[in-house]
Amino acid sequence: MNFKIIHLPKTQTEICLHRDCNEAGEEIVCIKTFVINSDGTELMLETQAKFASAKSAQSFVSDYSETSAKSFLQHCLKQDKIWTN
């Protein structure tokens, strides 16, 4: 699996994952979402994970769950000190 979108119904948030290669040719998975902060500004939150092979990156995307998506969202919000409604 090369991409996945997970919808979090409670927050009406979608987490998007996609497999890619970085400039060095390494396998990566990009994880992104958009949130609206308490000021009403839309922000994009993102991170990347690096993998040794395409197979392991594809497995990561395939195995990524709603629980993982919730953890990613909470981690980013806390790390970047973003407050949402």
Side-chain angles (χ1 to χ4, degrees), residues 45-46 71-82:
L45 307 175
E46 66 180 317
S71 293
F72 161 75
L73 182 59
Q74 290 306 313
H75 173 76
C76 287
L77 293 174
K78 185 177 178 182
Q79 177 181 337
D80 295 338
K81 297 181 178 139
I82 297 170

Side-chain angles (χ1 to χ4, degrees), residues 9 11 15 17-18 20 36-37 42 48 52 56 59 69-70 79:
T11 59
I15 310 293
L17 293 84
H18 71 278
D20 203 352
I36 298 176
N37 70 8
E42 186 174 51
Q48 293 182 356
S56 59
S59 292
K70 288 177 185 176
Q79 177 181 337

Side-chain angles (χ1 to χ4, degrees), residues 39-78:
D39 294 332
T41 304
E42 186 174 51
L43 306 170
M44 182 174 74
L45 307 175
E46 66 180 317
T47 193
Q48 293 182 356
K50 194 175 1 174
F51 295 88
S53 70
K55 180 97 172 135
S56 59
Q58 289 170 325
S59 292
F60 177 83
V61 172
S62 181
D63 293 342
Y64 202 81
S65 67
E66 185 175 325
T67 301
S68 301
K70 288 177 185 176
S71 293
F72 161 75
L73 182 59
Q74 290 306 313
H75 173 76
C76 287
L77 293 174
K78 185 177 178 182

